[in-house]
Amino acid sequence: MGAPDIIKQHLIDPEICIRCNTCEDTCPIDAITHDDRNYVVKADVCNGCNACLSPCPTGAIDNWRTMLRGDAYTIEAQLLWDELPAEVPLPELDTAIEGAAAAAPAAPEVTIQSVETSRHTSPRAPWSAAHPYVNLHGVRAPVTATVAGNYRLTAEDASSDIHHIVLDFGTHFFPILEGQSIGIVPPGTDAAGKPHYIRMYSVASPRDGERPGYNNLALTVKRVDQDHAGRPVRGVASSYLCDLAKGDTVQVVGPFGATFLMPNHAEASVMMICTGTGSAPMRAMTERMRRNLAHFRGRRMLFFGARNANELPYFGPLLKLPRDFLDIHFAFSRDPDAPRRYVQDAIREAADAAAALLTDPNGHVYICGLKGMEEGVLAAFDAVCAGAGRNWAELEATMKAEGRLHIETY
Ligand SMILES: Cc1cc2nc3c(=O)[nH]c(=O)nc-3n(C[C@H](O)[C@H](O)[C@H](O)COP(=O)(O)OP(=O)(O)OC[C@H]3O[C@@H](n4cnc5c(N)ncnc54)[C@H](O)[C@@H]3O)c2cc1C
Ligand code: SF4
Ligand code: SF4
């Protein structure tokens, strides 16, 4: 008899999952599928690569069960769940392992596949982050917000149409922290006649409101008018949001996100790296600090990438911020008057200051924007750390464990 084949089965919590489709979009090997009810993971395909963990806005994706491969929950079973099944008690598995090892002395190694490949570190919030409210309103009970304002942020002749949209929650309790996201329920149905799944949007305003003291928040929404391959398309939720008029109502779920949160201790320094609408959480954090300047004594660096200045949301207001409040580094990839520059190039150019912040035990890093930016940014960190005589791989592990490295790409 051989050793028992034990796996860590990857599961999605149907009670928390907001059916946002992010994990299915993210998984590089199509291990995730869904029906109109649940998102589920195929046990025979998932290799525990963790690529889907940090993009999941709710944490519903981060569930694992140690079990015998033969007992793995099937897709059909998972699609029927309303809640996760209880853990299989480990002692029973230990007994199974011991029994198998005793029965097979010639092959004492227990095969624990996937366990070794799934060394995932779940994202962590900074130790001094405020405690967030999450999942106050699910898809079955969204809250109604009213549009208090909607205007275009990018220049009229810019290729991207990015909007600043203010939603007012009236008397509804909907507390938000900087770095959190909300879900928008687009009205209507898809081509199959099913309700649209919700889309996530980062909140661009601080916890005390877009207008201080008001129960409102701001979003930074880019109208999706072509897909990732450049083909013309009409993005369901982004078009809906960008076309909203003042006074319209919107169905909102959330709030979501418990780790991409700002530190609150006075000595904390932050490095914010973003492209396009990835600037939304950076605006929220910057504004929180600007409104509480006497408290926040650390440094703030911003690396902001876009095709050119016309495509940058919040370009004008950013330029008005004093340099000693925010050390801004722009990177334009399609500026007719300058060579192509990406955020990673700007980080390399500011190597000394970047290395100082990365190696500061109070330094916190936030990366937000389109998928694909992460790789170049982490390579730049590797280079600036090497220049400062530090090993980025070690520092990265420390920063993740300490809740000082935060990445949100979509
Ligand atoms: C945690 C999180 C935070 C987010 N925050 C923001 C935010 O602050 N602002 C914001 O604008 N968006 C944000 N997004 C993305 C947003 O949720 C939607 O995915 C986006 O608006 C497209 O939705 P749609 O319904 O308009 O397009 P869909 O109808 O879903 O897509 C239409 C087509 O366009 C493709 N597509 C989808 N998104 C893009 C894109 N960005 N570029 C090119 N092609 C695309 C799709 O693959 C599809 O083929 C966030 C996503 C996540 C997961
Ligand atoms: S909430 Fe998480 S698990 Fe659910 S569909 Fe979105 S990314 Fe996947
Ligand atoms: S852990 Fe990796 S393989 Fe498994 S579902 Fe997530 S992205 Fe896909």
Side-chain angles (χ1 to χ4, degrees):
M1 179 181 161
D5 188 3
I6 296 174
I7 61 166
K8 277 264 187 194
Q9 185 171 7
H10 187 184
L11 301 172
I12 292 175
D13 186 339
E15 287 187 297
I16 305 175
C17 174
I18 51 159
R19 284 79 175 160
C20 68
N21 207 52
T22 305
C23 52
E24 197 171 319
D25 269 352
T26 306
C27 180
I29 54 170
D30 294 333
I32 296 176
T33 185
H34 71 278
D35 64 3
D36 55 2
R37 178 186 174 101
N38 280 351
Y39 274 73
V40 297
V41 186
K42 301 171 197 165
D44 54 338
V45 179
C46 173
N47 64 12
C49 73
N50 302 335
C52 59
L53 294 195
S54 100
C56 170
T58 62
I61 194 92
D62 199 5
N63 287 282
W64 308 80
R65 295 283 189 274
T66 306
M67 58 203 310
L68 294 168
R69 185 180 295 278
D71 291 345
Y73 298 107
T74 62
I75 292 295
E76 292 71 26
Q78 294 178 54
L79 288 171
L80 294 173
W81 286 348
D82 291 322
E83 59 186 38
L84 279 180
E87 289 266 8
V88 176
L90 280 173
E92 286 179 24
L93 286 174
D94 289 345
T95 309
I97 293 167
E98 282 160 17
E109 292 283 306
V110 174
T111 310
I112 304 185
Q113 291 172 7
S114 298
V115 173
E116 273 127 354
T117 52
S118 64
R119 276 183 234 106
H120 62 280
T121 36
S122 298
R124 283 195 182 170
W127 68 265
S128 60
H131 185 72
Y133 283 91
V134 289
N135 301 318
L136 286 179
H137 291 269
V139 272
R140 290 185 200 92
V143 61
T144 301
T146 306
V147 178
N150 181 357
Y151 65 86
R152 182 172 166 132
L153 286 169
T154 40
E156 278 308 317
D157 57 348
S159 62
S160 53
D161 181 14
I162 301 182
H163 283 237
H164 182 74
I165 300 166
V166 181
L167 299 180
D168 192 285
F169 289 82
T171 55
H172 295 293
F173 181 62
F174 200 79
I176 277 284
L177 288 177
E178 305 78 13
Q180 285 194 289
S181 307
I182 64 169
I184 296 291
V185 188
T189 52
D190 63 18
K194 306 229 168 88
H196 292 297
Y197 62 79
I198 72 150
R199 270 52 162 201
M200 305 291 294
Y201 293 91
S202 306
V203 174
S205 49
R207 64 191 77 179
D208 56 338
E210 170 66 4
R211 187 169 171 187
Y214 280 66
N215 191 16
N216 63 13
L217 58 79
L219 302 178
T220 313
V221 181
K222 179 183 178 209
R223 187 190 297 274
V224 169
D225 53 11
Q226 47 181 249
D227 65 14
H228 295 290
R231 290 178 298 250
V233 71
R234 188 176 189 279
V236 170
S238 59
S239 307
Y240 162 67
L241 287 168
C242 289
D243 290 340
L244 285 170
K246 192 174 173 184
D248 285 347
T249 56
V250 183
Q251 299 300 296
V252 178
V253 298
F256 300 114
T259 60
F260 197 102
L261 301 173
M262 65 178 282
N264 282 318
H265 57 296
E267 303 76 23
S269 288
V270 291
M271 183 192 292
M272 299 169 279
I273 303 155
C274 58
T275 55
T277 55
S279 57
M282 313 314 184
R283 180 181 183 270
M285 292 187 209
T286 308
E287 191 55 14
R288 170 74 184 163
M289 291 184 174
R290 197 189 62 78
R291 289 181 192 177
N292 297 274
L293 212 44
H295 171 72
F296 290 105
R297 301 196 301 267
R299 285 173 304 130
R300 289 160 286 270
M301 293 185 86
L302 174 67
F303 295 92
F304 199 165
R307 290 169 148 249
N308 55 56
N310 276 351
E311 313 276 344
L312 266 182
Y314 309 116
F315 186 60
L318 273 173
L319 288 184
K320 289 189 193 138
L321 293 171
R323 186 72 190 234
D324 61 355
F325 168 71
L326 186 63
D327 180 13
I328 307 180
H329 302 255
F330 293 118
F332 299 130
S333 60
R334 302 278 200 290
D335 185 339
D337 302 323
R340 284 188 179 206
R341 228 163 138 259
Y342 297 93
V343 279
Q344 53 266 38
D345 302 319
I347 293 169
R348 283 191 171 87
E349 280 165 27
D352 290 346
L357 202 147
L358 287 173
T359 54
D360 176 354
N362 285 308
H364 294 254
V365 173
Y366 298 84
I367 303 171
C368 187
L370 284 182
K371 279 190 185 86
M373 68 177 294
E374 185 181 334
E375 198 180 326
V377 169
L378 298 183
F381 285 171
D382 193 52
V384 300
C385 282
R390 291 292 297 267
N391 179 305
W392 166 244
E394 286 170 14
L395 187 58
E396 181 182 23
T398 305
M399 291 185 78
K400 279 186 177 162
E402 294 178 356
R404 295 196 289 117
L405 179 61
H406 305 275
I407 302 171
E408 187 164 275
T409 54
Y410 44 82

